[in-house]
Amino acid sequence: MISRIEAALRRGTPVRFGDVWRAGLGGLLGIAVTGALARMFVGGDALAEPLLVAPLGASAVLLFAVPASPLTQPRAVIGGSILSALVGVTCAMFVPEPLLAASLAVAVSIALMSLLGCLHPPGGAVALTAVIGGASVTDLGYGFVFVPVGLGAVLLVASAVVFNTLVGRSYPHRVKPPASPHATADPVPDERIGYRPADLDKALAQYGELLDVSREDLDALFRQVELQTHKRIHSQILCGEIMSRDVITLDAHQSAESALAFLRQHDLRTAPVIDAERRVVGMARRAELQAARGRLVEAALDPFVHRVREKTPIEALLPLLSSGAAHEAMVVDEQRVLVGIITQTDLIAVLYRAHIVEAVVAGGD
């Protein structure tokens, strides 16, 4: 039954089923906590004073269903709500015609929220409520800006921060740029080619419409699309087809001095370390072996090794070997016995050959 509901929902909205439940639960707790805290701070009935106003429900939809939206960040929710309430109360006081006052309140609110960078859709409802909310609202005057609107917005945002953090979502939302593995100012390797931030800015300018998604989120999304496309193109090339089979290896029980001499003989800086059954137990590098003189290789090996199978598509290696996190991957069988090795050089070579083939095919078409 659940799977049918999930399938039906996915046909109409591009969200995961778990997000639906998180959004609903967040709305339930957010409004309940906001009302309870408002009553505790101010006193009285949260529904009758009024300490809860209808636009808070619209804000809750955004805060708990789409917390990554620029229209949902704390600056937008709190600033947009308070600004709109201020505009609405002013229009109600100084424009005697209700229809004109309501229209002006919504229009001016939209304009000011846009100019001040705190656009929040429920702000239009806040402005409208200040004009047509009846005596319970108009009697408050500018007090309506602070209670219930300002207080409710602050409490709802605080609830959203706690709830979204507990369920593992980023709020306030920030897109973390990929960190350089070497702690330098250079962008990570896979961001040095392809489209540039200036290209994205130009495309957004030409698009000419306000999008409910931040530039940083768009950039992260487009780079994921690029990666998925790259994976699809190269998913048919297997590790077993490009690996080096005649692998230079070290024995875990040989001396560090002999291992160093062996690496120099083959002009290598690193090599996999195997046990008596040729199972990979780690990697050894010249620097560590130099420091371990007088001891065995096992005292200097790095046990952290990336392992793949012969049938693994090379697309699985693209994020690993292109990011600088590793320079090689070991190809092993079911018993972890070493059968080959793939280095960054191997991967670059096959990608270069694939690029030539694609160019030739495209030219022939």
Side-chain angles (χ1 to χ4, degrees), residues 43 48 70 213 217 266 278 288 293 321 323 338:
V213 59
D217 279 317
H266 291 278
R278 288 192 58 81
E288 286 80 2
R293 283 180 174 274
L321 298 186
S323 67
L338 181 67

Side-chain angles (χ1 to χ4, degrees), residues 16-75:
R16 294 171 296 184
F17 195 57
D19 289 336
V20 174
W21 290 109
R22 278 192 288 270
L25 180 61
L28 169 67
L29 297 177
I31 293 298
V33 169
T34 298
L37 290 178
R39 181 167 53 190
M40 182 180 70
F41 291 147
V42 180
D45 188 336
L47 295 177
E49 291 302 319
L51 294 178
L52 286 177
V53 288
L56 282 178
S59 296
V61 173
L62 295 173
L63 282 163
F64 298 104
V66 285
S69 169
L71 308 181
T72 315
Q73 301 314 298
R75 174 189 175 94

Side-chain angles (χ1 to χ4, degrees), residues 62-262:
L62 295 173
L63 282 163
F64 298 104
V66 285
S69 169
L71 308 181
T72 315
Q73 301 314 298
R75 174 189 175 94
V77 178
I78 298 174
S81 297
I82 291 176
L83 181 63
S84 298
L86 184 63
V87 171
V89 171
T90 301
C91 289
M93 285 184 171
F94 297 102
V95 180
E97 170 56 42
L99 180 58
L100 179 59
S103 302
L104 279 175
V106 173
V108 174
S109 295
I110 293 174
L112 289 180
M113 286 190 292
S114 300
L115 288 172
L116 297 178
C118 57
L119 186 63
H120 185 55
V126 171
L128 192 61
T129 301
V131 176
I132 66 171
S136 61
V137 172
T138 55
D139 289 349
L140 294 174
Y142 283 110
F144 178 73
V145 176
F146 303 101
V147 179
V149 174
L151 178 63
V154 170
L155 294 177
L156 190 61
V157 166
S159 301
V161 170
V162 174
F163 178 82
N164 284 310
T165 300
L166 290 176
V167 299
R169 296 194 295 195
S170 170
Y171 186 81
H173 182 64
R174 295 181 181 87
V175 179
K176 294 182 180 179
S180 168
H182 307 297
T184 63
D186 289 323
V188 294
D190 59 358
E191 290 194 1
R192 298 175 191 172
I193 196 169
Y195 80 87
R196 298 179 180 179
D199 299 325
L200 179 58
D201 292 336
K202 186 176 181 180
L204 288 173
Q206 292 176 342
Y207 188 73
E209 298 287 344
L210 178 64
L211 297 177
D212 187 12
V213 59
S214 70
R215 176 186 175 279
E216 292 75 18
D217 279 317
L218 280 176
D219 181 57
L221 177 62
F222 290 162
R223 295 198 181 278
Q224 283 297 315
V225 172
E226 280 188 334
L227 178 61
Q228 293 303 320
T229 302
H230 211 287
K231 287 182 177 181
R232 175 175 51 79
I233 291 173
H234 297 99
S235 62
Q236 302 305 314
I237 304 176
L238 306 181
C239 289
E241 298 175 39
I242 70 167
M243 69 181 183
S244 300
R245 296 179 181 272
D246 185 15
V247 184
I248 304 300
T249 61
L250 301 176
D251 191 307
H253 300 294
Q254 73 180 108
S255 68
E257 290 84 356
S258 66
L260 269 172
F262 194 55

